[in-house]
């Protein structure tokens, strides 16, 4: 924020503090006990404003100067107690509170940056380092809106690791996690454009979003991904092929007013079901002329 933009706030805070601080002008007419009570109250007011104004240290400093500043010249000219002896205490209080405000400001910034970092991490799947379901859902909505405006095709592919439950049962969850990480890398490396998004949808399921991509181009990406995973050669004794493979179901749509982004996911999922029913390790594109069982 520019310094000029804060100027009205600084003046306002200084004026507010001065409203309290000017009570020091009454000191010549007050008893010692009342003077001490006023000094204590002004200190409490300055401390009380610290949590609220420390987000902007310059604003708090203006408030602090307005609150405690008038005390110093008044105490300087007083002949009775408290006089000069109280000035070092007031100055020390002001310096301490000003330092505390800056520390609180630094802590607040650190907290915000930490939260921002956690939000970024929340968009990444920890195991595969791909985008997670939450981030995918958000980007899908954005890209669907963009595709509606541009009237460009958008393609979506659902990916499932074949017989993954059996893989976990035989080799254990640690090997299962390693398998998913390898599959994720193969998928990510096969999606070569910066605008392509590969995400872990959940469990052994992945999803690929290809913006401004026709059916033929998206199908070619799918085949490249399927082949890349097969070439990994990860042993899988309980698979019909003896190694890890993936099944893929895709759909290409033009975003229309009567459709929603979630419809793409449901449609691609139907195509994935057909790929698995057809023997797995296949790419099946959605055909609206077929029902969910793949029958005409």
């Amino acid at each position: 924020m520019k310094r000029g933009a804060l100027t009205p706030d600084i003046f306002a805070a200084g004026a507010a503090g001065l409203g309290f601080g000017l009570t020091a002008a009454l000191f010549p007419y007050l008893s010692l006990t009342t003077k001490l009570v006023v000094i204590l109250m002004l200190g409490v007011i300055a401390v009380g404003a610290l949590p609220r104004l420390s987000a902007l240290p310059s604003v708090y400093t203006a408030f602090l100067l307005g609150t405690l500043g008038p005390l110093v010249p008044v105490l300087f000219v007083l002949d009775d107690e408290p006089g000069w002896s109280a000035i070092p205490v007031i100055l020390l209080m002001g310096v301490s509170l000003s330092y505390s405000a800056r520390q609180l400001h630094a802590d607040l910034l650190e907290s915000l940056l930490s939260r921002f970092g956690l939000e970024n991490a929340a968009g990444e799947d920890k195991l595969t380092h791909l985008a997670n379901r939450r981030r995918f859902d958000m980007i899908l909505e954005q890209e669907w809106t963009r595709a509606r405006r541009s009237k460009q095709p958008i393609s979506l592919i659902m990916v499932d690791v074949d017989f993954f439950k059996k893989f976990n049962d035989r080799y254990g969850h640690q090997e299962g996690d390693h398998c998913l990480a390898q599959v994720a890398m193969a998928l990510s490396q096969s999606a070569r454009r910066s605008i392509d998004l590969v995400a872990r949808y959940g469990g052994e399921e992945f999803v690929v979003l290809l913006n401004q991509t026709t059916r033929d181009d998206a199908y070619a990406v799918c085949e490249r991904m399927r082949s890349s995973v097969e070439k990994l050669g990860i042993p899988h004794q309980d698979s019909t092929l003896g190694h890890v493979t993936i099944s893929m179901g895709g759909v290409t749509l033009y975003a229309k007013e009567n459709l929603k982004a979630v419809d793409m996911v449901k449609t691609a999922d139907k195509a994935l079901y057909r790929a698995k029913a057809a023997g797995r390790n296949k790419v099946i594109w959605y055909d609206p002329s077929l029902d969910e069982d793949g029958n005409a």
Side-chain angles (χ1 to χ4, degrees):
M1 184 179 292
K2 294 181 179 179
R3 185 177 298 273
L6 282 176
T7 301
D9 295 327
I10 293 173
F11 278 121
L18 195 60
F20 296 109
L22 286 178
T23 55
L26 301 174
F27 272 29
Y29 313 103
L30 302 176
S31 66
L32 174 61
T33 302
T34 306
K35 292 174 185 175
L36 293 175
V37 170
V38 171
I39 292 174
L40 178 62
M41 289 181 60
L42 291 175
V44 170
I45 290 171
V47 172
L50 182 61
R52 291 180 288 109
L53 299 181
S54 60
L56 298 170
S58 56
V59 172
Y60 179 71
T61 299
F63 180 84
L64 192 63
L65 288 174
T67 304
L68 301 181
L71 278 173
V72 176
V74 169
L75 292 173
F76 183 79
V77 299
L78 281 180
D79 293 329
D80 55 352
E81 293 294 333
W84 286 25
S85 60
I87 292 177
V89 177
I90 301 300
L91 293 177
L92 181 61
M93 181 190 303
V95 172
S96 298
L97 289 175
S98 180
Y99 176 77
S100 297
R102 295 187 181 280
Q103 287 297 109
L104 282 175
H105 176 71
D107 291 344
L108 177 62
L109 283 180
E110 184 178 348
S111 176
L112 289 174
L113 289 173
S114 176
R115 288 188 182 184
F116 181 75
L118 287 174
E119 283 300 309
N120 279 344
E124 180 183 282
D125 178 66
K126 292 182 179 179
L127 174 64
T128 63
H129 301 294
L130 298 177
N132 64 9
R133 171 75 176 272
R134 177 183 177 186
R135 184 180 171 195
F136 164 74
D137 288 340
M138 179 182 69
I139 293 180
L140 175 61
E141 290 292 339
Q142 294 173 350
E143 294 302 329
W144 182 260
T145 301
R146 184 177 289 111
R148 183 183 295 167
R149 290 197 304 264
S150 66
K151 302 188 184 305
Q152 294 291 321
I154 183 169
S155 297
L156 184 74
I157 304 107
M158 297 295 295
V159 185
D160 186 80
V161 180
D162 296 327
F163 304 111
F164 186 71
K165 184 179 183 304
K166 292 182 178 180
F167 186 95
N168 262 345
D169 291 342
R170 175 175 289 274
Y171 300 103
H173 290 284
Q174 188 171 0
E175 283 300 315
D177 287 349
H178 183 56
C179 170
L180 290 178
Q182 288 181 279
V183 170
M185 182 175 293
L187 296 177
S188 180
Q189 290 176 346
S190 298
R192 297 169 180 171
R193 302 183 308 171
S194 60
I195 61 173
D196 297 338
L197 175 71
V198 182
R200 187 181 181 189
Y201 198 70
E204 70 273 21
E205 280 195 321
F206 299 88
V207 63
V208 183
L209 180 63
L210 304 174
N211 193 26
Q212 300 179 13
T213 307
T214 63
R215 177 195 181 282
D216 290 345
D217 289 340
Y219 192 92
V221 172
C222 281
E223 278 295 342
R224 187 163 64 237
M225 290 180 169
R226 187 198 61 76
S227 177
S228 294
V229 171
E230 192 169 20
K231 287 178 181 178
L232 291 173
I234 303 173
H236 189 351
Q237 294 183 31
D238 295 311
S239 170
T240 54
L241 293 175
H243 54 264
V244 170
T245 57
I246 56 174
S247 297
M248 311 180 76
V251 62
T252 300
L253 294 174
Y254 283 87
K256 299 178 181 178
E257 294 294 337
N258 63 330
L259 293 175
K260 297 180 180 179
V262 69
D263 293 329
M264 282 199 76
V265 179
K266 294 177 180 178
T267 306
D269 199 49
K270 292 178 181 179
L272 173 61
Y273 176 86
R274 293 169 187 167
K276 294 165 72 173
R280 292 181 167 83
N281 192 30
K282 296 182 182 300
V283 177
I284 296 292
W285 222 253
Y286 178 72
D287 184 350
S289 66
L290 302 178
D291 60 27
E292 293 189 12
D293 296 322
N295 301 316

